[in-house]
Amino acid sequence: MADTMFFEDFAVGQKTESSTITVTEAEIIEFAKKYDPQPMHTDPAAAQTITGGLIASGWHTASLTMRLLITGGHYNPAPGTLGLGFEHLKWVKPVRPDDSLRLLLEVIAVRASASHPDRGIVTNRFVTVNQHGETVQEMVSSAIVPRRAPQGQQP
Amino acid sequence: MADTMFFEDFAVGQKTESSTITVTEAEIIEFAKKYDPQPMHTDPAAAQTITGGLIASGWHTASLTMRLLITGGHYNPAPGTLGLGFEHLKWVKPVRPDDSLRLLLEVIAVRASASHPDRGIVTNRFVTVNQHGETVQEMVSSAIVPRRAPQGQQP
């Protein structure tokens, strides 16, 4: 696991890469039956004519991306880090059974908070890729990240 | 279930509302253990001090919103309708055990495709609300929607 990262530890251009997870047909169907019950996600035979075979719900891909963020070993934000939401979420290519996914993070903006000297805002580009290195999902997210040593305070 | 909706059936300002679903503590924990294993989502005791009790993963809220879109009875897009991704996804308020969620859709843009006369782009604002009418999530999404009768073709 990476070292705990405070605001001071982020810089524009930093890149990290998670470990991989493989998604099974059973998991794709189980997720979709609960959250996105459409035939291309739940019925391998019907999916054949719709999308050339079963594809994962985009929300499943997004949820797997979250799992990679938390358990991928490359990103260990300080306690109190708080995601603010997501922008520009695009499903670029379908995820299919037995695909192995990996999350690439790149810091694209770092901004001190004007109102709260004990924290800052870090913006990351999230790119989820498959085993062929093809992008399956991309999005941008900003998070509030605590500083290691608040300005104007000495321990 | 609403009538099947082709591109011609959408107009800016149209509003629809889904049925409701209730989310249980067990489902919040099950989702989070798989996709967002952080204590405020998986451990009711630890969550008490972090977030005043268990809260659902934002991706769980997003996935439940997708379920409301597909099964909520208010939105029945024509076969071939294809979501293009999402913008401005914000988790406004936490979802907690036994909350009942409802999806409000509003058409905010309708645009004929310049390159494909058989389809158009419809943009919706998605607002997910709880049983108190409070917004828990909002986002904007565009989809490609087939036309009922392609321009220049007469049956």
Side-chain angles (χ1 to χ4, degrees), chain A residues 45-100:
Chain A
Q48 205 59 47
T49 58
I50 307 170
T51 42
L54 202 72
I55 64 172
S57 165
W59 296 105
H60 192 187
T61 304
S63 298
L64 289 164
T65 298
M66 187 69 201
R67 177 157 111 199
L68 287 169
L69 182 71
I70 301 296
T71 67
H74 63 314
Y75 179 72
N76 186 14
T81 297
L82 182 69
L84 294 173
F86 288 82
E87 296 288 330
H88 315 308
L89 173 55
K90 285 201 190 92
W91 293 301
V92 180
K93 219 182 143 73
V95 171
R96 297 183 185 271
D98 304 321
D99 275 0
S100 289

Side-chain angles (χ1 to χ4, degrees), chain A residues 61 65 68 101-103 126-130 134-137:
Chain A
T61 304
T65 298
L68 287 169
L101 304 182
R102 202 165 75 239
L103 172 60
F126 285 60
V127 177
T128 312
V129 300
N130 65 18
E134 300 162 328
T135 298
V136 296
Q137 179 187 288

Side-chain angles (χ1 to χ4, degrees), chain A:
Chain A
M1 174 59 79
D3 288 343
T4 303
M5 292 185 81
F6 289 85
F7 179 69
E8 293 89 334
D9 302 318
F10 290 95
V12 171
Q14 268 177 5
K15 292 181 184 182
T16 55
E17 194 174 318
S18 75
S19 55
T20 66
I21 47 176
T22 300
V23 59
T24 64
E25 179 179 290
E27 187 186 342
I28 287 174
I29 294 172
E30 185 193 356
F31 183 98
K33 281 192 171 166
K34 273 192 196 147
Y35 300 113
D36 195 352
Q38 302 188 79
M40 70 274 207
H41 306 315
T42 58
D43 181 341
Q48 205 59 47
T49 58
I50 307 170
T51 42
L54 202 72
I55 64 172
S57 165
W59 296 105
H60 192 187
T61 304
S63 298
L64 289 164
T65 298
M66 187 69 201
R67 177 157 111 199
L68 287 169
L69 182 71
I70 301 296
T71 67
H74 63 314
Y75 179 72
N76 186 14
T81 297
L82 182 69
L84 294 173
F86 288 82
E87 296 288 330
H88 315 308
L89 173 55
K90 285 201 190 92
W91 293 301
V92 180
K93 219 182 143 73
V95 171
R96 297 183 185 271
D98 304 321
D99 275 0
S100 289
L101 304 182
R102 202 165 75 239
L103 172 60
L104 315 181
L105 279 188
E106 181 180 356
V107 178
I108 58 172
V110 171
R111 183 165 62 79
S113 168
S115 53
H116 294 88
D118 60 342
R119 67 191 77 161
I121 312 284
V122 177
T123 304
N124 278 283
R125 183 184 314 285
F126 285 60
V127 177
T128 312
V129 300
N130 65 18
Q131 66 276 22
H132 309 298
E134 300 162 328
T135 298
V136 296
Q137 179 187 288
E138 50 186 44
M139 61 188 179
V140 170
S141 177
S142 295
I144 297 176
V145 183
R147 282 180 184 270
R148 181 169 281 111
Q151 282 182 336
Q153 263 187 261
Q154 299 298 331

Side-chain angles (χ1 to χ4, degrees), chain B residues 52-111:
Chain B
L54 202 72
I55 64 172
S57 165
W59 296 104
H60 192 187
T61 304
S63 298
L64 288 164
T65 297
M66 187 68 201
R67 177 157 112 199
L68 287 168
L69 181 72
I70 301 297
T71 66
H74 64 313
Y75 179 72
N76 186 15
T81 297
L82 182 69
L84 295 172
F86 288 82
E87 295 288 330
H88 315 307
L89 173 54
K90 284 201 191 91
W91 292 302
V92 180
K93 219 182 142 75
V95 171
R96 298 182 184 270
D98 304 320
D99 276 359
S100 290
L101 303 182
R102 202 165 75 239
L103 172 60
L104 315 181
L105 279 187
E106 181 179 356
V107 178
I108 59 171
V110 171
R111 183 165 63 79

Side-chain angles (χ1 to χ4, degrees), chain B residues 11 34 40 46 56 62 87 91 107 112 114 118 120 124 150 152:
Chain B
K34 274 194 195 145
M40 70 275 206
E87 295 288 330
W91 292 302
V107 178
D118 60 342
N124 278 284

